[in-house]
Every structure is written in C-alpha cells, then in structure tokens.
Amino acid sequence: MSTVKATSPLSPASRPHRRVKPVTIASFIALVITTFLMLLPLFFMVSTSLKSKREMLKFPPTFLPESWAWSNYTEIFDTLQFGTLYKNSLIIAVLSVFGTLLSSAFVAYGFARYRGRGNSFWFILLLSTMMLPYPAIMIPQFVLFSKMQWIDTFLPLIVPAFFGSAYNIFLLRQFFSTLPEELFDAGRIDGCGELRMWRTIALPLSAPALATVAIFAFIYSWNDLLTPVLYLSSSEKFTLPVGMASLTSSRFRIPPWHLLMVASVLAMVPIVTLFAIAQKQFVEGIVLTGIK
C-alpha cells in the first residue's frame, strides 16, 4: 500500500528560494567588523584587569592573560580606598539624579502646559544657557560656594542638580507637550490642582522620558572628574574618578595600569546595571523625545 506525503504550502520545501542580495551580505559583514572593533577596547580593559603587573608590561601585549590574576580585584581595595570612593560616588550620583528629575520635570511641565506672555522668551533664554561652557561659570560658582562655606563638602556637587538643567528641561518639555490636553481637562473637572495633575497625570505617563533623563544624569555625575577635583580636598571625600586619576600620579613609579583597569571594570557595573534595568524605557524615551 503506497502512502502519499502531503506537502504543506507553508513547509520549507514548498517555499520559494530567496536569494540574499550581495548588499545585505556586505552590510552584515560590515556590522560584524564594526561591532568587533567597538568591543575590542572593552575586551582589552577586562583582559588587562586580569593580568599581572609583569605581564602587563610585556611587548607585544598578550591577547589573553597567561595567568589569570583574580587577586587584582582584591588588591584594588588595599591600594585605593575603593569602597569609600564607590560609596561617595553613589551618594552624589543618586542625589543628583533625584534633584535633576524633580526640578527639571517641574520646570518642563510649566513650559509645556502653560502659555503666557513671555513664555517663548524665557524658554529661549533658558536654552541659551546651554551655550555657556562650564569654565565660564566655574570661578563665580566657586567664589559663591566658598562664601557659603561649602568647600570640601558634597553640597556643590549635589545642590546645583536641584535647580534643573537646560538640556533635561528641554527634553522633558518636548515629551510633556505630546500629552493629550483632554487628560488635564478631565483632571480639572475632577477638581485636581495643577500640582496634583503634574504628580498624578504627567509624571506617571512620562516614565520613558524620565528614565532617559535619569540615565544621562547618573552617567554625568558618575563620570564627573572636574567638579570633585575643584571642591573636594579631603581624601575620604574623594569620588571614584578622582581616586582612579590618583593611580597615575607620581607616587607610583610605574602606573599600575592593571589596577586602573580593575577600577574601570568595577566603575562600569552601576551604569551597565542601570541601563539593563531601564533599557526599554530608555530606548522608548529616545524615540519619543527625538534625541539624535
């Protein structure tokens, strides 16, 4: 008895063979090469962090460690007050993110939802402050904080974040402008005040934009070297970038690059973790606010 095999119209055998265009193959190869080149410095950073000091100075450099020096990750805590530096950077970064979100979202809501006389003028004036380089305001700001006796404290690194940032205000204002006016009309009919509408309507709907601002503010504060160098003088108050910069100072005859790479790997952990947690909101915020 013969059997007849039925061929589904969707089976792979019945599908027409699609020829891959040479342009697609070339694009794929170019993407792979670009990805490899982009990841190469990261790979060497991790690889060097696991090399001994002797192997690190070899020429030509080895691609992988000959002997994996995991002890480098404990040695950094003895050479540098790494735990204290990490804690100081985290305190400053978290409070700066909180201050940036609070102030920038509040000001951006006002610019987005209200149309009054001079609204455009004040907004353009705000945006023009982005043209000012930090060195231009560095000395007046230092004199001001010095008179307020804030030198060698965390206050000059945290308090300015509570006064907003022109870039973040612009970013959030663009997002708030896209929220439907009917939502706020419904809130007014229900008896909501403006502050309550900002808190219960605008902020919950703006999670992607707020996540984007939070990540940018965290990265800026976490990597900031100039401001801590300017205002902090006690070693127990130094932040992570200041401590890492001290590894290249003259107190080491040869800079311990392997320990510097260890510190770089550990410093990268909070940023990668934050991005992994808020990746969806971050990408959505980039799309909705039109950041290029």
Side-chain angles (χ1 to χ4, degrees):
M1 183 177 177
S2 64
T3 58
V4 178
K5 291 182 180 178
T7 304
S8 169
L10 296 177
S11 64
S14 64
R15 291 177 188 165
H17 180 67
R18 295 182 61 186
R19 243 183 115 179
V20 182
K21 295 180 181 177
V23 176
T24 307
I25 297 174
S27 302
F28 179 75
I29 294 173
L31 281 174
V32 170
I33 293 173
T34 306
T35 305
F36 176 76
L37 292 175
M38 295 287 288
L39 290 178
L40 200 56
L42 182 65
F43 173 80
F44 267 106
M45 182 179 72
V46 178
S47 173
T48 307
S49 73
L50 293 169
K51 292 177 183 175
S52 63
K53 189 173 183 179
R54 185 178 175 185
E55 186 184 351
M56 182 196 64
L57 298 175
K58 283 181 68 175
F59 186 82
T62 53
F63 201 64
L64 288 172
E66 293 173 353
S67 59
W68 299 77
W70 294 102
S71 59
N72 292 343
Y73 280 80
T74 55
E75 188 183 343
I76 188 70
F77 287 89
D78 299 328
T79 308
L80 215 59
Q81 296 175 335
F82 201 74
T84 304
L85 300 176
Y86 221 86
K87 183 189 71 175
N88 294 341
S89 286
L90 270 180
I91 292 173
I92 293 169
V94 169
L95 292 177
S96 296
V97 169
F98 176 73
T100 301
L101 288 178
L102 184 69
S103 56
S104 299
F106 194 73
V107 176
Y109 180 78
F111 276 118
R113 307 309 309 178
Y114 295 101
R115 295 286 180 270
R117 179 177 293 181
N119 186 288
S120 299
F121 169 77
W122 291 113
F123 188 62
I124 292 172
L125 187 64
L126 173 74
L127 293 183
S128 65
T129 61
M130 287 196 293
M131 313 299 172
L132 285 174
Y134 181 67
I137 61 171
M138 192 168 62
I139 294 177
Q141 204 174 57
F142 183 85
V143 172
L144 174 66
F145 291 149
S146 177
K147 289 184 181 298
M148 298 171 75
Q149 298 185 345
W150 283 5
I151 304 301
D152 201 24
T153 68
F154 290 161
L155 292 176
L157 283 70
I158 297 172
V159 172
F162 284 80
F163 289 89
S165 154
Y167 178 74
N168 294 326
I169 291 171
F170 169 75
L171 200 69
L172 292 173
R173 187 246 188 197
Q174 297 299 101
F175 189 84
F176 287 149
S177 300
T178 63
L179 297 178
E181 185 63 35
E182 290 77 10
L183 287 173
F184 298 93
D185 290 338
R188 291 188 187 95
I189 293 172
D190 288 342
C192 287
E194 295 299 332
L195 190 60
R196 190 178 171 191
M197 284 196 292
W198 170 74
R199 184 170 52 85
T200 59
I201 298 176
L203 290 186
L205 293 174
S206 308
L210 293 174
T212 305
V213 170
I215 289 177
F216 282 150
F218 186 88
I219 292 174
Y220 175 80
S221 175
W222 186 257
N223 294 330
D224 187 21
L225 172 64
L226 178 59
T227 317
V229 166
L230 196 61
Y231 291 108
L232 300 179
S233 55
S234 304
S235 60
E236 67 272 13
K237 294 177 182 173
F238 283 169
T239 58
L240 205 51
V242 180
M244 290 168 65
S246 70
L247 287 175
T248 60
S249 64
S250 57
R251 71 186 173 109
F252 298 101
R253 192 168 61 87
I254 300 175
W257 295 110
H258 60 308
L259 296 182
L260 190 59
M261 293 302 107
V262 171
S264 301
V265 171
L266 295 177
M268 201 174 59
V269 171
I271 295 177
V272 174
T273 306
L274 182 64
F275 182 76
I277 294 173
Q279 183 182 9
K280 183 181 175 185
Q281 287 80 11
F282 179 71
V283 174
E284 193 176 344
I286 293 284
V287 173
L288 293 175
T289 51
I291 301 175
K292 300 282 174 88

